[in-house]
Amino acid sequence: MHRIKTLLLIGIMTIASVGCSSKAAEPDSALDETTEETVQSADEKYLGENIEDHIVFPASVEGLVGDTMPFYDEGKYNVFYLADQRDGKQGYHPWGLIQTTDFASYDDKGVVLNYGDDVEDQDIALGTGSVIKGNDGKYHAFYTGHNDMFEPKEAVMHAVSSDLINWEKIPEDTLYANENYAQNDFRDPFVFYVESEKCYSMLVATRQNNIGVIARYTSEDLKSWEDAGVFFENDMGTDSNLECPTLLSYKGKWYLSFSDQWPHRLVHYRIADNFEGPFEIPSQDIFDCNGFYAGRMETDGENLYVVGWNGTKKKHTDSEDYDWGGNMVTHKLVQHEDGSLTPVLNPELEKLLSNELSLTPVKMTDSASLSEGVISFAGEKYEMAGFKELLGSYLIKTTIRGFDKDGMFGFCFDTNEENVGSLNIVFNGANNRIEFYNGSNIMERTAQSYVDFNLADKNELNVSLLVADGVVCMYVNDEIAFTTRMYMSQGSDFGVFSVESKASFEDLKAFK
């Protein structure tokens, strides 16, 4: 392992020393001379810049998207969300509403449920919740009312509507945690109807005995609630809160999802044969890396989605840590024979991004080769092939074959004079991971995001990348998604690379 790292570091240092040289390019220089056919014309700086862009990862008309609360009703997904307005006002996080039928086109209605008018209101800040259509024919929203000046700080609150747009709050229905649960951690209610019990259930993220739990309450009228005890306890070996729970039935299985508030901030799920459990941990219990948070599931009976968000970065700078709130990200989920779920590229988005673009390298390192559309790396130090700048929304697809199972290769964005990306998505076979580095020195930095992914049993990697609005979301083999924030994926070049690893990128195409 140490030998591999040493070889890779030597490779990076070698290409860096070549790129920093003040001499004219020698035959053994890292880069080939750019051929006449690959020179960008002045009026086509960006790849496919004259083609209309589509919204892939919606932000909010109010600013940014926080925790999402999808609710399917009468042919439409109504995605309520915490509107991250960042406007400096005392109240914050009102509920906005984005409507869609296919998660490929969107209608943002803006704020539909606002925070309280006064600093003395329990809901001077709104938190996550859920919407259900009651047996009375009305829509019922249950949301977190948060006030940092109060003890307890959090409570579950209730509002009703006839059209999902105009809501009437019912403050007398406010529910506080009893002595069984943490008074200041009592949030993210998820309400559903249990036909076998002829009553409603509410799941609430809270704490008991210094560990994160999901409590269950029951009601017959959506007004008065009885504590039914702990529904699910943190089973991950940590004491983390289990935020934004979802529970639903889909094609013969019950699925419980939640997000661990710390230390990893990942969306997890569990499987059961009925809503009471027991809930089992699947072999891969996540959908994505920490670039995707607070995902909640929803279904129309046939399709199943998980909807969350990709955060902005502090100071809106790529090299910084994630911030709260950003762009909405949605994965379609596919159910397998064993009941497990994996995220896949939404086929409706693939239809939308259907204009194929000419994708020819504008630069390549010496040992890289291009033949019949296949870019091959020989496994010599750092190798790359670079393409035109990206601006707007894209779908990039390729199949990677012939790779070293313990190798390091992937995608780079915003390359420097040494042709090393400042942002890199890396298949790291030695670590059995997919990793994201928000810096060019991938040998010395710590990955900002990663998921476990074993290359040893893979012969090919079918990869699709969605690039839009500073977000890059990659799908691999219909097994895992990998979402990252990359501001400089816009207006900058991108490429494919390897470090001391053989790999071939076949049928590399871009669509807009």
Side-chain angles (χ1 to χ4, degrees):
M1 181 67 173
H2 292 296
R3 181 176 178 273
I4 292 173
K5 286 190 174 181
T6 302
L7 287 171
L8 299 181
L9 183 56
I10 290 172
I12 292 290
M13 292 172 64
T14 301
I15 185 66
S17 65
V18 171
C20 290
S21 172
S22 59
K23 297 179 180 179
E26 299 293 335
D28 60 351
S29 171
L31 292 182
D32 289 335
E33 292 294 330
T34 304
T35 63
E36 182 179 351
E37 288 77 18
T38 61
V39 173
Q40 300 175 34
S41 64
D43 59 344
E44 292 182 349
K45 180 179 180 182
Y46 298 106
L47 186 63
E49 65 179 325
N50 296 319
I51 299 175
E52 179 184 3
D53 279 312
H54 300 283
I55 296 174
V56 176
F57 306 113
S60 169
V61 295
E62 301 294 331
L64 298 164
V65 171
D67 295 357
T68 56
M69 300 154 274
F71 166 61
Y72 180 78
D73 182 60
E74 297 183 357
K76 186 177 296 183
Y77 288 91
N78 302 276
V79 184
F80 296 90
Y81 63 92
L82 300 186
D84 189 9
Q85 297 168 315
R86 301 188 187 182
D87 57 6
K89 294 181 180 179
Q90 282 187 304
Y92 57 94
H93 292 170
W95 277 24
L97 173 61
I98 293 175
Q99 295 180 321
T100 181
T101 59
D102 55 7
F103 291 99
S105 59
Y106 301 93
D107 181 16
D108 193 337
K109 300 295 185 182
V111 170
V112 295
L113 181 63
N114 216 335
Y115 48 77
D117 298 323
D118 192 276
V119 293
E120 297 299 321
D121 291 336
Q122 176 67 59
D123 61 350
I124 191 61
L126 265 60
T128 312
S130 63
V131 171
I132 186 173
K133 191 171 187 177
N135 292 331
D136 58 2
K138 295 181 180 179
Y139 298 104
H140 296 256
F142 293 88
Y143 61 96
T144 306
H146 184 98
N147 192 321
D148 284 320
M149 304 298 293
F150 282 11
E151 286 288 338
K153 291 181 173 60
E154 294 184 332
V156 173
M157 305 186 75
H158 184 201
V160 296
S161 173
S162 61
D163 59 6
L164 298 173
I165 304 294
N166 301 285
W167 292 89
E168 177 187 355
K169 296 180 180 180
I170 311 176
E172 59 267 28
D173 289 351
T174 300
L175 174 68
Y176 292 93
N178 60 31
E179 65 279 2
N180 295 326
Y181 308 116
Q183 304 293 298
N184 291 325
D185 282 299
F186 193 74
R187 58 181 174 273
D188 305 345
F190 181 80
V191 178
F192 59 101
Y193 187 74
V194 180
E195 185 65 40
S196 61
E197 296 186 349
K198 303 299 181 185
C199 73
Y200 300 94
S201 282
M202 176 195 292
L203 303 184
V204 181
T206 184
R207 297 182 67 76
Q208 187 181 84
N209 300 323
N210 294 318
I211 192 170
V213 300
I214 298 173
R216 180 187 173 213
Y217 285 75
T218 60
S219 174
E220 295 182 353
D221 59 5
L222 294 173
K223 293 180 67 66
S224 301
W225 295 91
E226 294 185 7
D227 181 9
V230 171
F231 180 78
F232 184 82
E233 183 177 296
N234 186 327
D235 61 355
M236 298 178 291
T238 71
D239 63 350
S240 172
N241 289 330
L242 310 178
E243 295 193 306
C244 304
T246 310
L247 181 65
L248 54 74
S249 175
Y250 179 71
K251 295 187 176 181
K253 294 290 185 180
W254 282 84
Y255 295 97
L256 173 70
S257 69
F258 54 86
S259 295
D260 70 290
Q261 191 176 2
W262 65 79
H264 301 299
R265 292 185 67 79
L266 299 171
V267 180
H268 304 261
Y269 80 101
R270 302 290 184 263
I271 310 173
D273 291 326
N274 59 69
F275 90 92
E276 296 172 314
F279 286 90
E280 303 294 335
I281 305 175
S283 58
Q284 177 177 284
D285 80 321
I286 60 172
F287 306 118
D288 203 330
C289 63
N290 65 354
F292 176 80
Y293 193 69
R296 302 190 94 170
M297 295 187 293
E298 183 58 302
T299 181
D300 56 15
E302 182 59 33
N303 301 292
L304 178 64
Y305 300 92
V306 59
V307 189
W309 50 269
N310 171 252
T312 58
K313 294 286 187 70
K314 293 178 180 178
K315 302 178 184 177
H316 294 285
T317 302
D318 277 320
S319 60
E320 296 289 328
D321 291 333
Y322 275 110
D323 209 337
W324 192 93
N327 294 69
M328 190 173 94
V329 176
T330 302
H331 304 313
K332 186 172 184 178
L333 299 177
V334 171
Q335 184 188 63
H336 301 281
E337 287 187 9
D338 62 355
S340 63
L341 303 172
T342 56
V344 301
L345 173 66
N346 180 358
E348 297 304 317
L349 268 179
E350 192 166 9
K351 291 177 186 176
L352 198 65
L353 301 170
S354 59
N355 295 293
E356 185 174 350
L357 307 175
S358 176
L359 197 59
T360 304
V362 296
K363 54 187 176 181
M364 294 179 68
T365 50
D366 277 346
S367 53
S369 63
L370 174 63
S371 176
E372 297 182 353
V374 178
I375 295 171
S376 298
F377 297 126
E380 299 181 9
K381 300 174 183 177
Y382 179 81
E383 303 171 88
M384 69 89 68
F387 303 90
K388 284 184 180 181
E389 289 89 343
L390 301 174
L391 189 65
S393 303
Y394 298 86
L395 170 62
I396 299 169
K397 297 175 71 70
T398 188
T399 298
I400 309 173
R401 294 191 176 96
F403 48 85
D404 293 339
K405 298 300 179 73
D406 61 352
M408 179 179 280
F409 52 89
F411 300 87
C412 53
F413 295 82
D414 186 35
T415 60
N416 59 21
E417 63 272 15
E418 288 87 32
N419 301 291
V420 178
S422 68
L423 301 159
N424 298 276
I425 295 176
V426 181
F427 290 93
N428 191 334
N431 288 346
N432 290 320
R433 302 197 314 192
I434 302 172
E435 301 170 334
F436 168 62
Y437 292 88
N438 56 334
S440 58
N441 194 341
I442 62 178
M443 303 313 305
E444 296 297 326
R445 290 179 63 97
T446 299
Q448 186 171 50
S449 303
Y450 69 88
V451 293
D452 292 334
F453 191 79
N454 187 6
L455 289 179
D457 61 354
K458 306 290 192 301
N459 292 319
E460 64 180 32
L461 304 173
N462 294 299
V463 179
S464 298
L465 287 91
L466 290 171
V467 182
D469 202 20
V471 180
V472 177
C473 178
M474 179 174 74
Y475 296 91
V476 184
N477 286 0
D478 290 345
E479 294 179 30
I480 194 71
F482 196 79
T483 303
T484 56
R485 171 66 60 173
M486 299 190 203
Y487 293 107
M488 292 305 293
S489 64
Q490 293 291 299
S492 298
D493 62 341
F494 80 104
V496 294
F497 75 92
S498 74
V499 186
E500 288 284 339
S501 305
K502 292 181 179 180
S504 294
F505 290 75
E506 302 180 13
D507 202 25
L508 184 60
K509 295 180 179 179
F511 303 86
K512 193 168 175 61

